[in-house]
Amino acid sequence: MFSFIKNMTIRKRIVFIFLTLSTFLILLFIAAFAYFEVRNAQDTYKQLSRQTANGLAFMPALEEAISTRDDAELQAIIDRVRLQAENPVVTVVTREGEYIIHPDENRIGLMEEADQFAQTLLYGSYVTESGEGALGPAIMTIAPVYKEADEYGGERIIGAVTVEYLEESINAIIVSKLTRLFIVASIGVVLCIGGALLLARSIQEDTLGIEPAVIAEMFREREAMLNAVKEGIIVIDDKQAISMINPSAKSLLSLSTDLQQPVRILGLPETLHTGKASYDEEKVYQGKTFITNRIPLYENKQIVGAICSFRDKTDIKQLQETVMQMEGYADSLRAQTHEFKNKMYVLMGLLQLEQYEEALKLIQEETADKRQAFPMLNNIKDPGAQAILLGKMAKAAEKKITLAIEEASHLDKTEISTTDMAVMLGNLLDNAIDAVLDSKQKQITVMITDIGSEIVIDIEDTGMGIPKEQMEQIFARGYSSKGENRGYGLFHVYETVRKYRGEMEVTSPNEGGTVFSLYLPKRGGVKK
């Protein structure tokens, strides 16, 4: 159905929508009117039946006619009341439940079999209800008829009168009202169609004859493109006012009320005035370095604005470091495989030479460390963490460093991506390996546990430790004691921990060594 509407011209579409909407609203209005009219009619006729039944029950003439069984007088009284009360169906029964007035003459003199009059004849109750009446479904009221029993004012029930309004008659009245309403609504639909035609003509003039569907499609593509790209995009007009900015730009620049400052720093006014494009130029704003590309915008050979796309250099640096780490893991595993293959050749030679004791000694030497490490590694069920630990163990072994996993370590599969796990666990292990290279005791201890509501990662090394004056600076972007173009590792670890709504602690005892601790909620989600 939606494709059918899209293929229509604007004129046909507006007429179709107006017609559908107006018809729906009119039908909805008629349905609501019918609902309330039915409720109102039911309430009205219930009240009317009560009033009529009560009026009849308290008429002395009716009481006398029932007592004397004067059926002619009784019928005359009822006929007069019916003329004044919209012609209801009236039945009268005696104290014993015998019909003395009934629209069906065959029922007169018969006893009422059902318990319809039980409450009224036994307890003197006034009953108003919807049910099966004398001639069909009806709204009825049953009222008791009393007669003085003695000279002291006592009364006794001598019969009951029922006043019924047939639902068929009530529905006929409602249908008549709805018919008149439908005629008025049809006139309204015709007027809506006329207004729709005028509106369609006005819209076509405003859009220069271009169908709104085409304009909407162009706008959707533009918005989707701007929201999809990770790069920030800012466009200014010839008056240097921002005419478009995508969400990534707002996030990267942390924009406040002052929008002109980032425009100037990114160099858009310069591009607007010179008309020269610029590519891969570095700009610094609020301590962040951005790689920018700027080009002018032309219309009829006149510069009407400028556009700038930019990206945080830190993201590029983080991507490079992640790729380097993954390549390092692969190289370490390849080296480990090559070394293992060489040892297998040695073992095969010893077996062929029947040097069984030497072969057994070689196997025991090679499996001594593995028997301790791999059972602990099997407790780490998360594929990303397991792969990173395996790669770092190989790297540490090459550098004669002991990388041990605590026996109590345990980690099930987590919601943390492999890339983010590589950033956090990989960087901390790399720093620990670098820290113990020049130490006498080259040992790194890893403790990972997910007991409780948090994932806890502790990495302890036996290096020189971190001076207290550097504790507050180690997580700063670009800070490093290892030289230039460094200092992004711990910064990325800290940012990734914050991304998962976690916390990070670092301690360095006086006797040396450093302990990095990460606390990550299991189900904290990713901070947007």
Side-chain angles (χ1 to χ4, degrees):
M1 178 179 178
F2 291 105
S3 59
F4 169 71
I5 296 176
K6 288 182 179 180
N7 294 330
M8 294 180 177
T9 62
I10 181 61
R11 182 184 295 271
K12 293 180 179 179
R13 190 181 305 177
I14 290 179
V15 172
F16 176 78
I17 292 174
F18 265 68
L19 181 60
T20 303
L21 184 60
S22 59
T23 303
F24 172 76
L25 292 176
I26 288 172
L27 292 176
L28 181 64
F29 174 74
I30 292 176
F33 176 83
Y35 172 77
F36 288 110
E37 184 65 24
V38 169
R39 294 288 300 273
N40 183 60
Q42 289 178 344
D43 293 340
T44 299
Y45 281 99
K46 281 182 180 180
Q47 183 177 3
L48 184 58
S49 69
R50 281 195 296 267
Q51 292 175 350
T52 306
N54 290 342
L56 283 169
F58 284 100
M59 291 179 63
L62 184 74
E63 171 193 330
E64 183 66 25
I66 294 175
S67 300
T68 60
R69 297 297 296 266
D70 188 351
D71 295 346
E73 177 64 20
L74 190 59
Q75 186 65 53
I77 295 171
I78 291 173
D79 289 341
R80 289 195 298 271
V81 172
R82 290 181 62 196
L83 291 175
Q84 299 173 1
E86 298 188 17
N87 200 29
V89 176
V90 180
T91 60
V92 180
V93 296
T94 64
R95 179 70 176 80
E96 293 76 20
E98 177 188 352
Y99 281 112
I100 55 177
I101 294 294
H102 196 283
D104 184 0
E105 294 182 357
N106 295 326
R107 298 293 301 278
I108 296 176
L110 299 179
M111 303 296 291
E112 173 60 37
E113 297 178 357
D115 296 333
Q116 184 177 7
F117 297 96
Q119 280 186 292
T120 303
L121 295 176
L122 292 176
Y123 306 107
S125 300
Y126 291 82
V127 179
T128 300
E129 60 183 1
S130 296
E132 189 68 24
L135 297 179
I139 296 174
M140 66 184 73
T141 295
I142 305 173
V145 179
Y146 290 92
K147 182 178 182 180
E148 290 187 5
D150 52 46
E151 59 186 13
Y152 300 104
E155 293 180 331
R156 64 183 179 86
I157 299 174
I158 63 171
V161 60
T162 303
V163 177
E164 304 174 3
Y165 288 93
L166 294 177
E167 292 186 0
E168 181 180 357
S169 301
I170 298 174
N171 293 337
I173 297 173
I174 295 174
V175 169
S176 176
K177 292 181 179 180
L178 292 178
T179 302
R180 292 194 296 270
L181 178 63
F182 183 78
I183 295 173
V184 175
S186 300
I187 298 174
V189 170
V190 174
L191 295 177
C192 285
I193 295 176
L197 292 173
L198 293 177
L199 177 61
R201 181 177 179 181
S202 175
I203 292 176
Q204 283 186 319
E205 292 176 354
D206 293 338
T207 59
L208 302 177
I210 301 176
E211 291 294 325
V214 178
I215 299 175
E217 184 64 26
M218 294 170 60
F219 180 78
R220 283 193 295 269
E221 291 175 355
R222 172 179 174 272
E223 290 298 309
M225 178 189 67
L226 294 176
N227 291 328
V229 295
K230 192 173 183 180
E231 291 80 3
I233 299 177
I234 297 180
V235 180
I236 63 171
D237 57 21
D238 54 352
K239 297 180 181 179
Q240 299 187 18
I242 295 178
S243 59
M244 192 280 297
I245 180 169
N246 71 336
S248 296
K250 295 179 182 179
S251 176
L252 289 170
L253 297 175
S254 302
L255 289 180
S256 58
T257 54
D258 185 10
L259 301 179
Q260 293 303 317
Q261 183 180 4
V263 169
R264 292 192 298 270
I265 293 176
L266 292 175
L268 280 168
E270 178 184 352
T271 302
L272 185 65
H273 293 149
T274 62
K276 295 181 179 179
S278 174
Y279 301 98
D280 299 328
E281 185 177 344
E282 293 191 6
K283 297 289 183 179
V284 180
Y285 176 71
Q286 292 183 348
K288 298 181 180 179
T289 302
F290 299 105
I291 306 298
T292 65
N293 297 288
R294 305 185 306 275
I295 59 172
L297 301 177
Y298 290 91
E299 183 177 336
N300 298 327
K301 298 182 179 180
Q302 297 291 326
I303 297 178
V304 294
I307 182 172
C308 174
S309 65
F310 56 94
R311 188 170 184 177
D312 192 346
K313 187 179 179 181
T314 306
D315 293 340
I316 301 175
K317 187 71 176 177
Q318 182 178 2
L319 179 60
Q320 291 174 343
E321 289 186 356
T322 302
V323 173
M324 291 175 62
Q325 284 187 6
M326 294 301 180
E327 290 177 348
Y329 302 151
D331 291 339
S332 298
L333 293 175
R334 279 196 295 269
Q336 190 177 25
T337 302
H338 181 71
E339 181 183 359
F340 184 74
K341 185 185 296 183
N342 290 334
K343 292 177 180 177
M344 289 296 294
Y345 287 137
V346 173
L347 180 61
M348 183 178 65
L350 291 173
L351 292 175
Q352 289 176 347
L353 295 173
E354 299 183 355
Q355 300 291 328
Y356 300 122
E357 292 185 1
E358 291 296 327
L360 181 61
K361 183 179 179 181
L362 176 63
I363 293 173
Q364 290 174 342
E365 289 177 355
E366 288 302 316
T367 58
D369 294 335
K370 304 298 186 295
R371 283 198 301 267
Q372 297 177 357
F374 279 100
M376 299 303 102
L377 195 60
N378 288 335
N379 292 333
I380 307 300
K381 304 299 178 57
D382 185 79
Q386 194 177 57
I388 294 165
L389 288 171
L390 184 61
K392 294 304 179 184
M393 289 172 65
K395 180 178 179 181
E398 289 178 0
K399 299 183 179 183
K400 307 302 180 183
I401 297 172
T402 302
L403 198 161
I405 302 174
E406 290 282 355
E407 292 184 6
S409 294
H410 181 274
L411 180 65
D412 290 326
K413 183 173 176 57
T414 68
E415 298 177 357
I416 302 173
S417 66
T418 302
T419 301
D420 290 336
M421 185 65 78
V423 170
M424 293 185 289
L425 191 56
N427 274 304
L428 292 180
L429 289 173
D430 283 339
N431 286 351
I433 291 173
D434 292 341
V436 301
L437 281 176
D438 299 327
S439 299
K440 293 182 179 180
Q441 183 182 4
K442 301 180 180 181
Q443 184 171 350
I444 301 171
T445 304
V446 179
M447 172 66 179
I448 304 177
T449 180
D450 57 359
I451 298 175
S453 61
E454 292 182 322
I455 299 171
V456 181
I457 301 176
D458 288 335
I459 298 177
E460 181 180 1
D461 64 63
T462 57
M464 298 297 294
I466 302 174
K468 292 183 179 180
E469 58 272 11
Q470 296 182 8
M471 282 289 189
E472 297 181 358
Q473 306 176 34
I474 59 175
F475 299 116
R477 184 202 305 259
Y479 177 81
S480 175
S481 59
K482 302 175 185 178
E484 296 182 357
N485 296 323
R486 303 291 295 271
Y488 288 93
L490 286 177
F491 170 75
H492 289 152
V493 173
Y494 181 70
E495 289 296 316
T496 306
V497 170
R498 290 182 59 193
K499 172 183 175 182
Y500 286 92
R501 305 179 187 274
E503 295 181 0
M504 182 174 180
E505 294 180 357
V506 56
T507 56
S508 188
N510 295 330
E511 57 271 17
T514 305
V515 180
F516 282 91
S517 300
L518 307 183
Y519 304 93
L520 305 169
K522 286 184 179 179
R523 295 177 177 81
V526 178
K527 185 184 294 184
K528 301 297 183 182

